Amino acid sequence: MNALRDAGIEMIPYLIAFVVGYLMPWRKEWFERFAVGSVAALSVAFVLGLWPDKAVEVAETRPEEWGHLLNLIVFLPLIAAIAVVFLPRQSPKLLKQFTMVVLGVDFLASLALLGVPMSEGWHFQYVTEWVPSLGIRYHVAIDGISVWLVLLSTLSTPIALHVSFGSIKKRTKELCFAFLMLHGAMMGAFVSLDLFLFFVFWELMLVPMILIIGIWGGVEKIKASYKFFLYTMAGSMMMLAAILYMAWVFHSIEGYWTFDYLALKRLVLPEDAAFWCFAGFALAFLIKVPMFPFHTWLPDAHVQAPTGGSIILAAVLLKLGTYGYIRFCMGMFEGPAWEASATLAGVAVAGGIFYGALCAWKQSDIKRLVAYSSVAHLGFVMLGLFSGTHAGVSGAIVQMINHGISTGALFLLVGVIYDRRHTRQIADFGGLAKVMPVYTALFVLVTMASVGVPGTNGFVGEFMVIMGTMVSDSLGRHATPAAVGASFGVILAALYMLSMVQRVFFGPLNNPKNEKLTDINSRELVAVAPLVALIFVFGLFPNILLSRMNDSVGATVRHLAEGRIAYEAHAGATTAKLRPKRGGPWEAGHPSPPQVADVAVALNAGADK
Amino acid sequence: MIDLFIALSPLLTVGFGGLLLMLAEALGKPANNTGMSPDGAVVVDAGAGRSEELGLLATVILFSGAASSMGVWLADPATLGVELVSPWLQVDRYSLFFSFILCISGGLCTLLGGGYLEEHKIDRGEFFTLVVFSTVGAIALGFAGDLLTVFVALETMSLGVYCMIGLRRSSPRAGEAALKYFLLGSFAAAIMMFGAALLYAATGHTDLAGIGAFVGGLGGEASGETAMVIVGMLLMLIGMAFKISAVPFHMWAPDAYEGAPTPTTSFMAAAVKTAAFAVLLRILLIAFGDPRLMSWGAGWPPVMACLSVLSMTIANVIAGRQSSVKRMLAYSSISHAGYLLMGVCAAMRLPEEASASVMFYLAGYCISTIGAFGALILCGSRGKEAVSYADLAGIGRRHPAAAAAFALFVISLAGMPPTAGFFGKLYVFRATIDAELYSLAIIGLLNSIVGAYYYMKVLVFMYMREPIPGAPIAIPMRSSMVVSALIIAAALVVAIGVLPGALLEMAAVAAAALS
Amino acid sequence: MLPGSVVEHYLALSGAIFTLGAMGFLMRRNVLIQLMSIELMLNAVNLLLVSYNRVHAGNMTGQVFAFFVIAVAAAEAAVGLAIVLSYFRIRGTVQSDEADSLRH
Amino acid sequence: MTPGSALFIVSAVLCLAGAVTTVVSRSPVRAAMGLLGTILGIALLFLKLRAEFLSAIQLIVYAGAVVVLFVFVIMLLGTDAGSEPESEARSKIAPPLAGGMFLAFATALFGLLGGAIKTPTAFTVPSPDHGTIEAVGTEMFQNTLVPFELTTALLIVAVVGAIAVGRGRQGQKPNQRVIKNPQDFYVGPVMERDNVSQPEPKESV
């Protein structure tokens, strides 16, 4: 009887899969449904059968945290994306509701992440074997930095999709699929602590994003999506080479394969190798940010993408570059990151903040202007990261969140008038304040946040970045010029944003086409309201952000300094060495050598017997 | 003795299955599909009009070949008295891995053929016999441990493929493709045979292990034997390079791929290439596995590295400029040969890891490329094949399922997650980096960016462009056989891409059996 | 050394036939002659195998190999001629450089 | 000059002359005769090398079957098939270039070989039954049985394939349909923009 009950319990996943498959509203005949159900059950059997059964014990589990929460957040959208494939394309309403419900659940689940204080160490950690023979593990966790980015994404995606449903009427199925896939991949990239897993999610974001740009984009959509794709691909290939090289060095020292961040972080590479690996990672992230010489894909992508795509791109996707820089470049290549920071800071100020601002000033297309303002804002973020100080890095992270909120809101608002007038040229507008008062108010508010007026969120981040830059060790004598340059950048930002607002909303209403414009409708208001609220919440109470990220930022800055010292002590060496384990909460979940070093050898030994 | 038959069961199953297929073809209902030859005589094709049932039978035969490979793998071939057929046929886990892949590939191709031949009015039963016997040759090539078996097997496989290309007798393009492939293929075989004869002349052995032992026993100074071994090796490698269509010996490939019926193309791109790599790795590692021949100085690695770099770069550049998708896929398969050769190069320092990576890559590549050609088949119908990019425009809406499948396989070929191609590429690059061939790995990575461009072009045309109104477009066909082939291939691509562990371990074990 | 008394003479002869065959294959555009050139190359292979079997005279491997090469060559010729025939029916020519419709 | 050397010289000249004839002659028939000459020369050399059985096989299979097959095909195509002057070749440069490259390649290879071979290798004295039918048969059916069995697959493929390819032309032409309105074949909701010409989405095919 017991055996029967156990068998019954084991059958549950298959039964669930079968029932779900059977109920898919895809085909009418029962045998077709039956076939789909069977296929679903079979695939569950397949996955369960192939999954390596050697689960790894996490070093320290926190009792108050539910280990599967991150899995839920990451895989709910991905599984939903697969489910969307089987939903009928004839009923867009069902598709929309399904997608929104999934994203809503994802958002609520991510709110639970705020339930625990972000103390030292990783939270909600979950580790299991994925591909044991290559040393690849499924290792996810968050800290005070990534938790905000996860929340930013779970908030932005539903908003972006809500906006998209308003303006996009065709090919809803593909839209839902792309957004869910993109969302899941972004979540995965933010929480992965295995470099390989990170790379998988990083690459997984590409295809949905090019679909979003390429299917629902503007006139030049195909060129823009090619550009986006090739730039990102170029960066990620170099990153892949660096990842593989580091895994190999670790293997040759320790004798087992791993791609784990915590393990590879311990590597102290010789100068050349460290530089090239840093360059590989930095290239991937700086392209994604994008920083000055690599920024040319961004205006095209933003201008051509549909409003929803622009929001996701600005709010979340670009943050992957900055997040990757903090986590991986500063986390694993402390020495080269430190050495390169003065140069890169110069580029960030001159090429990002100044050049971006000047380009923005010259634009006649509002969306393009906002896109270039993104380049300038991200210059601030990068400057804060390069400073390597507690204030600078915190400011950069705050600025990342703020940029996500305010630029996302700006793109949303630009989308609103684009839907009405199908143009984004500044010259076509003027005096909109008279016909669209609510819209104008919102736009001015968001512009204020973007410019960094005190009281809005933008001010906190920029202020902290400039303060942090001023006292930075890593920038040395370049610290003060960089800080001063950045301050000028703030002024420039005010100039170009306010002049745009002035030309679009104030002055005479001289274009007759603008006289009939309707004000912002409820759907758009619902979308933009949370962002506007957050502008004030974070502007007035920045401590909500700062208190949670404090420990993580402290650890990042501390590890950066320590790692630099280890790197300099290792200078001149030709071989890599492994820093001893630091211990403590930041190395919980570090991989341990497998029982037998090489799986192939183990299997062979078995075969010989 | 019965053990031996069990050990050889993959080969025997497929071989006798082929005979059964011929019987079924000959004894079945007389053809309902007659045509007139130019001189007025009525031409009756055996097995005409029955391509679905014959295709299904062939698929069953080939899949049971795959099943028996798995069975022998599990039963541990070393215990099955295989020394009786050694060294002619080396029944080890290495060859079983390949016979498994080859049977799966062949089975998918016959499934595609079942739908395609009927739709395009070339439904002739010979196709399936040829596929099955070519697969016999391919499996035997994977098993071969002696130059003699290598040749017989290679020719069995190639002759079948030549005829499969020329099967569509009314099409000048198919005739041309068959002619070109035949001429260059036989030329390559002749060059390879001369190389083999030189190896025999120098060593007195035709079995690979014997050659390897003789080479190991050669003294350090330059002697006639050394020179003959090196020249023989070079000629063998040139012949092999033709078979795997590596640049600059690739001239035949795009034409042959384009002119052939698409199921044949997929067979050529998948099974022929896989079998050629199987024997290439075995020859390089067993016969030329001597450290002196595995060096940058006088051995095969520099040759392989040159071929690899040329194949990747040139094929990728040309592929980006094609207007025909089928031709693009042909060039893409050449560039994949380049990536694979990179893994072969890495075998100079890390024989096991590198050959495991090549084997894993081949498994993923075979399934993805067959799937891509299958999706291309599904996009056309009734004599109008979808070949150009323009034919694919708007397929994302005309036939969403075909487009989704095509997208998946193209993503796999481009090496992006979550697909089999991604892990294959990763594994090959890892082997290359581990073997300290950094510049080769960087060239490979740069090439995969170029490659990504033309793979993305397929996505762009399927999802982002619309057909020009009024232009003749290919209507997607309906065929349960093609669809089932695609479902199987897609399931495998995703399964390997998400949970590659089992196959990786198989490849590692198989590679360990090689040395 | 009298001609034919050492095996290198056979190697040279076989190499010459092989080279002639390969050049014939590469330089001629008549498919039939290209096929014949391939047969020449295979004959060179046979000569090499059989002559070196007198050096490694312990077994008959070389001769048996040559036997298989003959079998393979015959099969190849049959298939090749069938393909040429089919091609001639369609195009009315056996010039291989007129086989270029695939590039356009 | 021993009779053996004389035989070698005669056969070598026959082989080379035949090969050159094959390669240069305009007429396929003459080329086939050249091939026949080479085959005969090699059969003679086989005799001298104590390969009586192979010599017979060479004559039977090559001279008796392959060359006859060639001649047969040439007759089938018309004796002048392909014998027209090759001046209309599309590319005048490529063939000589390829041939020249191969010649250089072969010269380099054989030069390397010739340079490396310091001392000539004499023939060993073979066992008395070297090359007889019995010896070859024993070798073939005892040791090389496996490849021999594999040859069955080769021959089946060759027979089936040659028949499949070489038989008469197929009768039917592919039936092609030209579709005027691509929207007919779309699945799913058709949007306003697509709807201009066609009010209802239809099933495809």
Side-chain angles (χ1 to χ4, degrees):
Chain A
M1 205 57 204
N2 240 357
L4 203 64
R5 200 192 59 201
D6 288 349
I9 290 172
E10 278 194 9
M11 289 300 289
I12 287 175
Y14 308 104
L15 279 177
I16 293 173
F18 180 83
V19 170
V20 169
Y22 190 85
L23 293 180
M24 278 285 172
W26 184 44
R27 289 282 162 88
K28 287 204 180 79
E29 287 82 353
W30 71 268
F31 58 88
E32 280 177 309
R33 291 162 160 267
F34 188 80
V36 174
S38 316
V39 168
L42 268 179
S43 25
V44 168
F46 204 67
V47 170
L48 292 181
L50 278 183
W51 195 274
D53 44 345
K54 294 181 297 176
V56 178
E57 287 297 314
V58 180
E60 183 193 350
T61 43
R62 294 169 196 255
E64 73 275 17
E65 295 168 1
W66 184 47
H68 283 292
L69 185 57
L70 287 180
N71 298 349
L72 175 76
I73 295 175
V74 173
F75 285 102
L76 184 68
L78 290 178
I79 292 172
I82 296 169
V84 160
V85 172
F86 295 98
L87 289 179
R89 86 179 39 238
Q90 282 80 0
S91 54
K93 201 173 166 193
L94 174 73
L95 286 163
K96 288 179 185 174
Q97 283 168 352
F98 176 75
T99 314
M100 286 312 281
V101 166
V102 167
L103 289 175
V105 170
D106 215 40
F107 176 63
L108 292 179
S110 71
L111 283 182
L113 296 176
L114 291 177
V116 288
M118 283 291 148
S119 55
E120 288 270 342
W122 305 107
H123 294 262
F124 295 98
Q125 195 168 29
Y126 185 81
V127 190
T128 183
E129 291 287 346
W130 181 20
V131 189
S133 56
L134 293 183
I136 299 168
R137 305 194 308 168
Y138 174 79
H139 182 180
V140 291
I142 53 165
D143 66 353
I145 299 172
S146 45
V147 65
W148 288 115
L149 294 164
V150 168
L151 281 165
L152 179 66
S153 321
T154 49
L155 176 69
S156 313
T157 313
I159 291 178
L161 197 60
H162 181 74
V163 170
S164 299
F165 286 153
S167 56
I168 293 175
K169 300 286 183 213
K170 62 169 184 171
R171 305 174 83 174
T172 315
K173 185 167 166 174
E174 280 92 343
L175 186 75
C176 295
F177 173 80
F179 264 88
L180 286 169
M181 201 78 189
L182 183 65
H183 183 62
M186 291 186 311
M187 291 292 98
F190 279 132
V191 300
S192 308
L193 279 190
D194 188 281
L195 284 183
F196 188 82
L197 190 66
F198 173 75
F199 185 79
V200 167
F201 284 124
W202 176 269
E203 288 273 283
L204 204 56
M205 291 182 308
L206 257 182
V207 173
M209 194 64 216
I210 58 171
L211 287 181
I212 290 173
I213 298 176
I215 298 183
W216 299 279
V219 187
E220 295 268 288
K221 58 186 184 181
I222 290 173
K223 186 181 149 219
S225 50
Y226 271 126
K227 226 170 168 179
F228 170 75
F229 182 63
L230 291 178
Y231 269 74
T232 320
M233 195 76 186
S236 49
M237 283 300 122
M238 296 303 109
M239 180 162 77
L240 178 63
I243 291 176
L244 290 173
Y245 176 78
M246 292 181 65
W248 175 66
V249 171
F250 187 88
H251 174 254
S252 53
I253 295 176
E254 280 290 79
Y256 65 95
W257 288 104
T258 181
F259 286 88
D260 200 90
Y261 168 70
L262 302 177
L264 298 185
K265 190 173 156 61
R266 287 169 54 213
L267 278 177
V268 185
L269 295 170
E271 271 176 72
D272 275 1
F275 173 75
W276 285 112
C277 287
F278 169 75
F281 273 87
L283 188 68
F285 297 136
L286 294 186
I287 286 176
K288 199 81 165 187
V289 169
M291 221 166 91
F292 165 57
F294 313 116
H295 69 283
T296 49
W297 64 268
L298 182 77
D300 284 338
H302 267 316
V303 171
Q304 301 305 330
T307 304
S310 290
I311 295 172
I312 286 279
L313 194 61
V316 193
L317 230 70
L318 306 187
K319 301 305 170 310
L320 269 159
T322 46
Y323 167 77
Y325 192 86
I326 305 181
R327 177 72 83 228
F328 299 108
C329 282
M330 287 166 65
M332 294 195 303
F333 311 101
E334 300 91 347
W338 189 279
E339 283 169 4
S341 54
T343 319
L344 289 175
V347 177
V349 173
I353 301 178
F354 270 102
Y355 179 75
L358 291 176
C359 283
W361 205 351
K362 293 283 289 175
Q363 297 308 318
S364 55
D365 181 314
I366 305 177
K367 209 170 176 188
R368 226 180 164 81
L369 186 146
V370 178
Y372 273 109
S373 85
S374 267
V375 176
H377 281 144
L378 288 160
F380 268 105
V381 174
M382 293 314 288
L383 182 64
L385 297 183
F386 295 138
S387 78
T389 53
H390 195 290
V393 174
S394 312
I397 296 164
V398 171
Q399 180 72 351
M400 272 155 75
I401 313 296
N402 294 338
H403 173 257
I405 294 168
S406 53
T407 309
L410 270 179
F411 276 123
L412 203 164
L413 291 172
V414 173
V416 169
I417 45 169
Y418 181 72
D419 284 345
R420 285 163 176 61
R421 283 280 276 109
H422 294 282
T423 174
R424 287 182 297 247
Q425 296 300 316
I426 296 175
D428 289 342
F429 299 104
L432 289 191
K434 296 187 182 71
V435 284
M436 304 173 79
V438 183
Y439 177 75
T440 307
L442 287 171
F443 202 102
V444 171
L445 253 173
V446 176
T447 309
M448 292 300 168
S450 177
V451 168
V453 172
T456 62
N457 57 356
F459 172 72
V460 189
E462 284 175 6
F463 180 73
M464 287 177 76
V465 166
I466 293 171
M467 291 312 291
T469 311
M470 200 76 97
V471 297
S472 163
D473 282 342
S474 64
L475 301 186
R477 63 198 165 82
H478 303 293
T480 319
V484 173
S487 325
F488 274 110
V490 179
I491 300 169
L492 272 179
L495 275 176
Y496 63 78
M497 290 304 285
L498 294 178
S499 81
M500 183 265 284
V501 167
Q502 199 270 331
R503 280 185 287 162
V504 170
F505 293 98
F506 303 103
L509 181 66
N510 45 17
N511 190 337
K513 282 185 192 160
N514 292 336
E515 284 166 10
K516 295 274 162 57
L517 284 181
T518 50
D519 207 341
I520 188 163
N521 63 26
S522 59
R523 159 185 281 277
E524 290 149 355
L525 202 60
V526 166
V528 80
L531 297 175
V532 173
L534 282 178
I535 285 174
F536 286 109
V537 170
F538 290 150
L540 298 174
F541 311 104
N543 224 27
I544 299 175
L545 294 169
L546 292 173
S547 64
R548 279 199 166 72
M549 72 175 68
N550 193 31
D551 290 338
S552 302
V553 171
T556 306
V557 173
R558 203 167 61 240
H559 294 171
L560 180 68
E562 284 170 17
R564 176 180 65 100
I565 293 164
Y567 172 79
E568 281 167 4
H570 195 57
T574 54
T575 53
K577 70 164 189 176
L578 212 55
R579 188 172 53 64
K581 274 192 195 174
R582 192 179 270 127
W586 290 107
E587 270 180 0
H590 187 288
S592 49
Q595 250 67 46
V596 181
D598 203 340
V599 174
V601 174
L603 283 166
N604 258 341
D608 289 343
K609 269 171 213 162
Chain B
M1 203 58 194
I2 193 79
D3 275 359
L4 184 64
F5 284 122
I6 292 172
L8 289 178
S9 63
L11 207 53
L12 297 178
T13 311
V14 181
F16 282 100
L19 294 177
L20 186 74
L21 191 66
M22 283 171 76
L23 275 181
E25 198 181 305
L27 298 182
K29 253 190 324 194
N32 53 9
N33 177 13
T34 57
M36 303 288 276
S37 71
D39 48 356
V42 175
V43 177
V44 180
D45 290 327
R50 296 190 293 136
S51 45
E52 290 224 331
E53 45 192 284
L54 289 175
L56 213 54
L57 181 58
T59 312
V60 169
I61 289 165
L62 288 163
F63 280 172
S64 41
S68 65
S69 319
M70 257 314 84
V72 183
W73 171 289
L74 293 175
D76 194 2
T79 61
L80 292 176
V82 290
E83 61 280 357
L84 267 177
V85 289
S86 168
W88 311 109
L89 296 176
Q90 297 281 11
V91 186
D92 49 21
R93 285 193 168 150
Y94 176 78
S95 17
L96 288 169
F97 185 88
F98 276 108
S99 81
F100 182 68
I101 305 180
L102 289 167
C103 287
I104 295 279
S105 311
L108 290 176
C109 292
T110 47
L111 269 183
L112 295 183
Y116 178 91
L117 296 186
E118 192 175 27
E119 186 75 27
H120 292 274
K121 297 286 174 239
I122 41 172
D123 42 356
R124 308 189 22 220
E126 292 102 328
F127 175 81
F128 303 104
T129 314
L130 290 172
V131 173
V132 169
F133 277 105
S134 283
T135 315
V136 170
I139 297 171
L141 201 53
F143 278 103
D146 186 287
L147 293 176
L148 187 46
T149 349
V150 169
F151 286 125
V152 177
L154 187 71
E155 285 297 322
T156 310
M157 180 180 79
S158 310
L159 287 183
V161 176
Y162 304 145
C163 301
M164 277 151 66
I165 302 172
L167 205 62
R168 185 187 284 162
R169 293 188 305 249
S170 54
S171 149
R173 295 159 79 82
E176 250 172 54
L179 188 68
K180 277 194 177 165
Y181 187 33
F182 171 76
L183 284 176
L184 283 163
S186 332
F187 182 60
I191 291 179
M192 210 170 141
M193 284 203 195
F194 197 78
L198 274 175
L199 285 176
Y200 169 72
T203 65
H205 288 280
T206 55
D207 61 311
L208 301 179
I211 294 172
F214 183 89
V215 172
L218 277 176
E221 71 278 10
S223 64
E225 277 86 11
T226 318
M228 276 162 98
V229 166
I230 289 178
V231 172
M233 181 181 83
L234 207 56
L235 292 176
M236 293 279 294
L237 292 187
I238 291 176
M240 302 299 306
F242 267 106
K243 286 290 163 197
I244 56 178
S245 63
V247 177
F249 306 104
H250 68 290
M251 304 81 73
W252 58 271
D255 292 349
Y257 281 26
E258 196 186 357
T262 314
T264 310
T265 313
S266 58
F267 187 81
M268 286 155 72
V272 171
K273 195 163 280 191
T274 307
F277 266 101
V279 72
L280 177 69
L281 268 179
R282 203 193 276 272
I283 289 178
L284 288 180
L285 292 182
I286 305 277
F288 306 131
D290 189 67
R292 278 168 296 167
L293 286 179
M294 288 218 277
S295 69
W296 282 107
W300 48 264
V303 182
M304 290 289 136
C306 285
L307 289 178
S308 161
V309 171
L310 284 176
S311 305
M312 288 187 286
T313 317
I314 294 181
N316 270 332
V317 169
I318 301 178
R321 300 169 47 187
Q322 298 304 316
S323 58
S324 150
V325 182
K326 212 169 164 185
R327 220 172 160 79
M328 179 278 278
L329 286 173
Y331 278 108
S332 117
S333 110
I334 299 173
S335 76
H336 280 283
Y339 299 129
L340 285 160
L341 283 173
M342 204 164 75
V344 172
C345 270
M348 68 185 262
R349 298 223 172 89
L350 298 164
E352 280 190 20
E353 189 194 335
S355 21
S357 74
V358 169
M359 292 160 81
F360 184 85
Y361 193 107
L362 276 170
Y365 160 77
C366 274
I367 300 165
S368 329
T369 199
I370 293 178
F373 280 116
L376 198 59
I377 289 177
L378 205 58
C379 295
S381 67
R382 308 212 175 181
K384 171 82 176 106
E385 282 187 64
V387 283
S388 65
Y389 282 105
D391 286 329
L392 292 185
I395 282 284
R397 304 173 69 190
R398 288 207 301 277
H399 198 320
F406 209 158
L408 179 71
F409 297 123
V410 158
I411 286 173
S412 174
L413 286 174
M416 289 165 74
T419 56
F422 171 67
F423 269 98
K425 198 167 177 182
L426 174 95
Y427 204 12
V428 165
F429 279 115
R430 197 190 79 163
T432 316
I433 287 177
D434 295 354
E436 304 180 25
L437 302 170
Y438 303 123
S439 38
L440 199 57
I442 295 292
I443 293 174
L445 285 167
L446 289 176
N447 263 301
S448 53
I449 302 168
V450 180
Y453 163 75
Y454 58 79
Y455 291 124
M456 193 194 145
K457 208 165 153 186
V458 174
L459 291 186
V460 164
F461 269 86
M462 287 195 307
Y463 286 105
M464 304 174 197
R465 287 197 202 270
E466 300 291 336
I468 304 158
I473 57 162
I475 311 154
M477 69 186 263
R478 296 268 161 108
S479 161
S480 54
M481 292 187 79
V482 176
V483 168
S484 49
L486 290 188
I487 289 176
I488 295 172
L492 286 174
V493 162
V494 173
I496 299 175
V498 175
L499 291 170
L503 192 66
L504 279 170
E505 283 168 18
M506 270 178 72
V509 173
L514 181 58
S515 47
Chain C
M1 276 176 296
L2 291 167
S5 65
V6 292
V7 76
E8 276 74 20
H9 295 159
Y10 290 88
L11 175 59
L13 178 60
S14 139
I17 298 175
F18 178 78
T19 313
L20 274 171
M23 288 180 63
F25 176 84
L26 291 171
M27 295 176 65
R28 296 302 300 268
R29 282 293 164 259
N30 185 327
V31 178
L32 288 168
I33 293 180
Q34 282 180 307
L35 265 175
M36 290 181 209
S37 302
I38 290 172
E39 299 296 334
L40 278 182
M41 293 163 79
L42 293 178
N43 269 298
V45 172
N46 283 346
L47 184 57
L48 194 61
L49 286 167
V50 172
S51 59
Y52 269 89
N53 201 8
R54 282 288 302 281
V55 177
H56 313 292
N59 53 28
M60 306 282 292
T61 315
Q63 290 201 15
V64 173
F65 204 139
F67 175 82
F68 280 102
V69 173
I70 294 174
V72 166
E76 215 175 66
V79 169
L81 287 172
I83 291 173
V84 172
L85 212 60
S86 154
Y87 177 72
F88 183 79
R89 285 215 189 93
I90 304 164
R91 298 290 304 267
T93 175
V94 287
Q95 300 296 326
S96 64
D97 66 341
E98 288 177 22
D100 56 359
S101 68
L102 282 164
R103 288 180 198 279
H104 310 300
Chain D
M1 169 99 37
T2 62
S5 309
L7 181 59
F8 177 81
I9 291 172
V10 169
S11 332
V13 168
L14 186 56
C15 286
L16 290 175
V20 171
T21 314
T22 308
V23 171
V24 302
S25 67
R26 291 244 173 271
S27 142
V29 180
R30 199 167 299 155
M33 290 307 119
L35 179 63
L36 188 61
T38 309
I39 287 164
L40 290 177
I42 286 177
L44 281 178
L45 286 174
F46 280 179
L47 275 183
K48 181 179 179 308
L49 287 165
R50 300 272 314 270
E52 295 92 358
F53 174 64
L54 268 189
S55 176
I57 292 291
Q58 173 92 355
L59 285 179
I60 295 168
V61 176
Y62 260 122
V66 175
V67 175
V68 169
L69 198 59
F70 268 109
V71 174
F72 189 72
V73 169
I74 293 166
M75 293 306 157
L76 204 63
L77 303 185
T79 35
D80 51 350
S83 67
E84 65 265 28
E86 293 193 14
S87 59
E88 55 184 308
R90 300 291 162 97
S91 163
K92 289 210 171 87
I93 308 159
L97 191 71
M101 273 168 63
F102 189 84
L103 187 62
F105 176 69
T107 316
L109 282 190
F110 289 116
L112 174 72
L113 266 184
I117 297 172
K118 303 284 185 335
T119 52
T121 320
F123 292 116
T124 51
V125 180
S127 56
D129 63 344
H130 190 85
T132 58
I133 296 180
E134 289 86 358
V136 176
T138 313
E139 173 85 12
M140 198 173 317
F141 293 112
Q142 277 188 349
N143 296 339
T144 55
L145 188 62
V146 176
F148 188 82
E149 292 294 341
L150 257 184
T151 322
T152 51
L154 175 81
L155 294 179
I156 293 177
V157 166
V159 170
V160 174
I163 293 173
V165 175
R167 227 163 10 156
R169 189 192 291 261
Q170 270 164 298
Q172 282 134 335
K173 290 214 156 152
N175 50 349
Q176 209 162 329
R177 281 202 290 175
V178 176
I179 298 310
K180 285 288 187 294
N181 182 13
Q183 277 81 47
D184 289 2
F185 301 98
Y186 282 28
V187 180
V190 172
M191 296 309 150
E192 310 88 65
R193 200 176 56 74
D194 301 330
N195 243 349
V196 183
S197 57
Q198 201 74 22
E200 284 282 317
K202 272 198 238 159
E203 272 286 294
S204 64
V205 187

